[in-house]
Amino acid sequence: YRNIADTLWDTNVPPSRENLFKALSILHKGLDYLNQPYVWDLAQGNVYLKFRRFNILNDVAHVYSLLREKDSTIKTLSTMLDIGGYNFNNIEKDTAFDFIRSEKDFKELFADMHRKKARWTDDFLKTPYRNDLPLNEKIAGLSLLWSQAKYNFVHFDHANIDWNKEYLDYLNLIAQTKSTAEYYKILIKFYASLKDGHTNVYFPKELDDSFYSRPPFRTELIEGRVFVNDIYNDTLKKVGIEKGLEILLINGEPVLEYAKNYIEPFQSSSTPQDMDVRKFTYALLAGSKDEPLIIKFRNKEGKEWTQSVPRKGYSIIKTIPSIEYKEINNIGYLQLNAFDDQIIDKIYDSLFSKISKTKALIIDLRRNGGGSSGIGFHILSTLTDTPYAISLSRVTQYNSSDFGDAQWYSFSPEKEYPSKKMYYAKPVILLISARTFSAAEDFVVAFSYMKRGKLIGETTGGSTGQPLLFDLPGGGTARVCAKDDYFPDGRKFIGFGITPDIFIHKSVKDFYSNYDAALMKALELLR
């Protein structure tokens, strides 16, 4: 109906009044269709169908504006506003409505729109940073975190807490804080109690150096011991810090106790294996740039020593490429270390001619913490010649007339489609670990469900979904996981992780000898 009506009114030359009335008649037929009870009911649970009504009303309002029908134009715009949930900024600025812009009814209509929008955007709570926020802002920030989770968080079954009681307990804690830094540490612990890797609070940028500074090397927990793994600055080697060193003490405390006491309380995590990654790889060395770490090391030969390690002052920091490729005896080895940049698609496409000539392929997601699921799906589309299923998902919908209960809305099953240009039909094996997280797990779900090849390694992080982002008083930000994902057949993996077909646990012996047991197992099977 819209397409037909467009030819009558949305033209390069001013349309005739006769054509405008014809367009209105056609558009109202579209509205009559949408107003049928069963179509109306469907639209209440489907934002895309709901938006069809919005689109048609938008066209009707424009036609009325061309007819200079003031009352009908405002009435139509008001009906659009009642649908809710859509951005009226473009309509507010649309020159088609200049003829009624000074009208009282028009001004009141958009004033109402701004009030409704303000209830959900929380712009007024986005206050500037100060060393110590006033108590009313601190309470408002905690209350915003509480309410966003109450109405949007999808994993309360994993958290296993009384959220309202938690809120009251934390109200007392924030009242005792003496600085914005202290306040944010409390907020971070508040959201960490939800036990979800996609539900976090982040410090204001003014506090980054006080909490996020760390020396350019990473550590890893292996068989209950912590080792230096990745080195990102060559100057560290000059002061004796290299891959393979074991960390015994940090600031005088045994490293496991240090991680439990000072790191774990501030980590939002969905699973024990993800918590270990956060404690011992991502956050163990983080802190104030002005406070060096006092670390006791031990090398492979048993020599022990203690040295001060600055968190800042390193000029060149190396990074791990998001995508790397090589061949091992005509078996392709593709490392996908992140899905964080669309250029990965282009790099993969440029490599495909080489990959296509191999006799088998190993894809390594063991360092992949996520990014855009679409990047992973682009690669998966070259590994199949038929459509493939991706994760099912659902969100909560709060209905105030239904005794305050939140209801689940499940999205229709979705499929991705094979590439029209590239197809790799040979054997594929996927390497996974606890660091395989978020969008990388979306990849694993689809790969596993299409039965494309074996999974080798360790259980994944167990957290994906669509976070809802929002601002907090004092310049900080937060997110809450608002979408629950699971396998196309209904199996759950959030809060558990995706288990491999063949478990290969990293050992200290293999680490010392630089032996990659998971990769070697994959090569063995493919041979």
Side-chain angles (χ1 to χ4, degrees):
Y1 287 122
R2 290 187 69 213
N3 289 341
I4 297 170
D6 277 352
T7 63
L8 296 170
W9 74 269
D10 193 9
T11 56
N12 293 327
V13 296
S16 66
R17 288 181 65 82
E18 179 184 3
N19 280 351
L20 290 174
F21 282 113
K22 286 182 180 179
L24 279 177
S25 177
I26 293 169
L27 291 170
H28 279 291
K29 287 181 181 179
L31 289 174
D32 290 342
Y33 175 84
L34 292 173
N35 286 334
Q36 295 175 92
Y38 60 90
V39 181
W40 180 278
D41 287 343
L42 284 172
Q44 304 318 302
N46 189 301
V47 68
Y48 305 104
L49 183 55
K50 203 174 193 179
F51 197 62
R52 294 289 175 250
R53 182 187 309 280
F54 187 92
N55 287 342
I56 290 186
L57 288 168
N58 185 36
D59 290 355
V60 170
H62 276 83
V63 174
Y64 278 133
S65 74
L66 292 170
L67 289 167
R68 291 299 187 263
E69 294 278 355
K70 181 187 74 172
D71 292 342
S72 295
T73 302
I74 292 176
K75 181 179 178 181
T76 305
L77 291 171
S78 179
T79 305
M80 293 169 66
L81 180 60
D82 287 340
I83 293 176
Y86 303 106
N87 191 334
F88 273 73
N89 290 341
N90 291 337
I91 296 174
E92 188 176 17
K93 298 173 184 177
D94 196 324
T95 57
F97 305 120
D98 284 351
F99 79 105
I100 55 172
R101 201 168 299 281
S102 61
E103 296 286 337
K104 179 182 177 183
D105 290 347
F106 185 88
K107 291 180 178 179
E108 288 181 352
L109 176 70
F110 280 94
D112 185 34
M113 179 271 291
H114 284 297
R115 284 191 294 270
K116 288 181 177 179
K117 182 180 178 183
R119 288 207 304 271
W120 298 102
T121 57
D122 309 309
D123 287 342
F124 195 72
L125 298 178
K126 188 179 178 181
T127 61
Y129 175 80
R130 281 147 291 169
N131 288 332
D132 188 22
L133 298 177
L135 182 59
N136 63 337
E137 290 188 22
K138 291 180 180 179
I139 293 173
L142 182 73
S143 301
L144 178 58
L145 289 168
W146 168 77
S147 63
Q148 288 285 20
K150 181 180 178 72
Y151 295 109
N152 296 298
F153 185 56
V154 291
H155 296 308
F156 275 114
D157 55 332
H158 298 155
N160 195 29
I161 58 173
D162 185 328
W163 190 232
N164 294 328
K165 179 181 182 302
E166 200 83 357
Y167 170 63
L168 286 175
D169 291 344
Y170 273 82
L171 275 173
N172 292 326
L173 293 175
I174 63 167
Q176 301 169 31
T177 60
K178 304 298 183 184
S179 68
T180 298
E182 284 183 29
Y183 168 64
Y184 264 87
K185 289 176 73 174
I186 297 296
L187 296 188
I188 289 170
K189 291 178 71 173
F190 181 56
Y191 255 26
S193 68
L194 290 172
K195 300 174 184 175
D196 181 75
H198 282 77
T199 302
N200 316 80
V201 172
Y202 302 101
F203 286 104
K205 65 180 185 302
E206 289 84 357
L207 294 173
D208 281 358
D209 284 346
S210 297
F211 293 96
Y212 296 142
S213 299
R214 55 185 178 175
F217 67 92
R218 297 293 172 267
T219 52
E220 183 177 3
L221 181 71
I222 305 173
E223 296 186 324
R225 298 159 66 183
V226 180
F227 294 89
V228 175
N229 193 350
D230 298 312
I231 303 287
Y232 300 127
N233 184 279
D234 291 337
T235 61
L236 290 169
K237 296 177 182 178
K238 297 177 181 178
V239 295
I241 299 175
E242 57 188 7
K243 181 176 179 177
L245 295 182
E246 183 177 359
I247 293 179
L248 303 177
L249 304 175
I250 296 181
N251 296 344
E253 293 195 38
V255 63
L256 299 185
E257 292 181 19
Y258 178 88
K260 184 173 181 59
N261 294 334
Y262 301 106
I263 307 299
E264 183 175 329
F266 303 99
Q267 303 307 308
S268 293
S269 180
S270 304
T271 62
Q273 65 269 22
D274 178 54
M275 177 60 81
D276 282 345
V277 169
R278 292 172 184 272
K279 282 196 300 184
F280 296 108
T281 298
Y282 297 147
L284 182 67
L285 306 177
S288 171
K289 68 179 180 65
D290 299 321
E291 297 175 4
L293 292 153
I294 307 301
I295 301 178
K296 184 175 184 179
F297 293 104
R298 179 166 61 198
N299 65 18
K300 187 165 58 173
E301 290 73 32
K303 179 185 175 182
E304 298 180 3
W305 72 96
T306 299
Q307 70 184 79
S308 176
V309 181
R311 287 190 169 107
K312 279 287 188 178
Y314 305 91
S315 55
I316 300 175
I317 309 297
K318 299 178 181 178
T319 58
I320 296 174
S322 297
I323 178 171
E324 298 178 273
Y325 178 73
K326 65 180 181 180
E327 292 177 13
I328 307 171
N329 297 326
N330 202 27
I331 293 175
Y333 178 48
L334 179 68
Q335 292 174 275
L336 299 171
N337 299 316
F339 290 146
D340 57 356
D341 193 327
Q342 288 300 139
I343 198 172
I344 296 169
D345 287 350
K346 295 181 179 179
I347 296 173
Y348 175 77
D349 291 351
S350 70
L351 292 169
F352 191 80
S353 61
K354 293 182 180 179
I355 294 172
S356 65
K357 296 173 184 176
T358 60
K359 64 182 181 182
L361 178 64
I362 299 168
I363 299 177
D364 191 343
L365 295 182
R366 289 177 294 174
R367 291 175 176 266
N368 195 317
S372 169
S373 300
I375 295 172
F377 295 154
H378 174 80
I379 294 167
L380 281 170
S381 72
T382 68
L383 305 181
T384 180
D385 59 352
T386 59
Y388 62 93
I390 60 175
S391 301
L392 291 176
S393 58
R394 60 181 185 167
V395 297
T396 58
Q397 293 184 321
Y398 180 74
N399 187 343
S400 60
S401 64
D402 191 21
F403 307 104
D405 287 339
Q407 307 294 323
W408 286 107
Y409 169 66
S410 296
F411 293 96
S412 301
E414 290 188 48
K415 289 185 179 292
E416 292 289 328
Y417 294 89
S419 170
K420 296 178 180 179
K421 299 178 180 179
M422 299 175 287
Y423 175 40
Y424 188 85
K426 299 163 191 176
V428 182
I429 284 179
L430 191 62
L431 304 184
I432 58 175
S433 76
R435 289 177 67 175
T436 308
F437 187 81
S438 192
E441 288 184 281
D442 297 336
F443 185 104
V444 179
V445 166
F447 181 91
S448 174
Y449 192 71
M450 71 166 72
K451 301 187 185 303
R452 188 60 180 86
K454 289 190 179 296
L455 309 179
I456 297 179
E458 298 174 302
T459 304
T460 64
S463 178
T464 190
Q466 183 61 51
L468 174 69
L469 310 175
F470 53 98
D471 296 301
L472 293 170
T477 57
R479 64 179 191 170
V480 61
C481 190
K483 181 168 73 71
D484 181 24
D485 286 347
Y486 41 101
F487 272 91
D489 59 8
R491 282 179 291 148
K492 294 184 177 181
F493 66 95
I494 306 297
F496 307 99
I498 303 165
T499 56
D501 300 302
I502 301 173
F503 276 93
I504 301 290
H505 294 294
K506 200 167 189 177
S507 70
V508 174
K509 179 182 176 182
D510 289 344
F511 178 69
Y512 274 148
S513 61
N514 204 28
Y515 180 78
D516 190 336
L519 176 58
M520 292 301 108
K521 184 64 176 179
L523 290 168
E524 175 192 330
L525 290 176
L526 291 172
R527 290 193 197 101

